[in-house]
Amino acid sequence: MGLKAGIVGLPNVGKSTLFNAITNLHVEAANYPFATINPNTGVVNVPDERLTCLTNIFKPLRKIPASVEFIDIAGLVKGASHGEGLGNQFLAQIRECDAVVEVVRCFVDPDIFHIEDSIDPIRDIEIINLELVMADLNTVLKRIEKNEAKARIAKDKEAIYEMAILNPLKTTLEQGFPARKAKLSEEQIAYSKNNYHLLTSKPIIYVANVGEEDLLDLNSSEMYQQVVNYAIKDNSKVIPVSARVESDLSSLNEKEKQEYLKELNVDESGLEKVIKATYCLLDLSTFFTVGSDECRAWTFKNGMSAPECAGIVHTDFQKGFICAEVYPYEAIKELGSENAVREAGKIRTEGKNYYPKDGDIMFFRFNVNKRV
């Protein structure tokens, strides 16, 4: 399963600079509104030292990491939900995303224009969040218009079921709250996510774009701390990132990158923090398949069964699932080879009721004629 994240924010907050840094695509990042006209898409490999270790052990022909797809749309402005600016035209591009990454400007630079003529991260967050809420309200109202008569007059069961979801969503959104705050059952939440793709039903990560000097002492960065306090109240994550630093890092080799990070007194890049935070928010983990042909990382949602994880590799694996041979990454890291892991009795055979854990190394046995 591929992970997709949509990047939103006001114009000139560093969205495209950050996108450039994490994808190395070098799209336009100019000092004026709406430099990003068309949505930009880039796929980034997920850093994982476990995959590197497995590759060193198995020496495969191919090493395939998990990936995250980032979609960067034009900056949103106040009134976007009513057609102002260009960003609203591209909100549809991120409705299929798993999470929203909202970039917030937390640095002062008189040479970089701000569309609101001043730097105020909380005001900026509230502008963007309100526009997302209003865009979702438009979606919900259209669905209500489609289903209301069917439910009330024709007594259509599906329409009645939808109205029981749409009305609480409408009330929540009209109050200015995100769709994820609506009082719905787990079943109704799943239906809403699968059918409406509301932007504010998705988990959100705030990326505070700070200056390099603030990155060295975040406790003293007043604007960053404002975003942290806001995110706590919103039950969301905030990641401090300097788009300028990330841009510099993107041009360095691995050794130079580590030296630069050490100078900044940080142990990982902003990109790595964003990816980890996204995995955590979406309750995702990684399992591995290994061998002489390839070592590969696969993303799965915690709570998936072994057959469901097999289906991520290939649908036939799930249809004909027999069992999975499983051992933890820690075992092969400690013992150095799969033969040693097997001799130590640490390889288990698990059936369809097994629920994989982060770091599991799995080999699936299946029969194409078998159906489960």
Side-chain angles (χ1 to χ4, degrees), residues 30 45 118 149 155 163 276 281 313 330 349 353:
N45 290 336
S118 63
K155 306 299 181 185
M163 289 301 294
K276 287 181 179 179
L281 272 181
V313 178
E330 289 76 15
T349 299
N353 292 324

Side-chain angles (χ1 to χ4, degrees), residues 37 156 201 245 261 291:
I37 302 300
D156 182 272
S201 68
V245 168
L261 290 173

Side-chain angles (χ1 to χ4, degrees), residues 249-260:
L249 285 170
S250 68
S251 64
L252 303 177
N253 61 40
E254 190 58 34
K255 183 179 178 181
E256 292 170 333
K257 186 182 296 185
Q258 294 305 317
E259 289 174 353
Y260 190 10

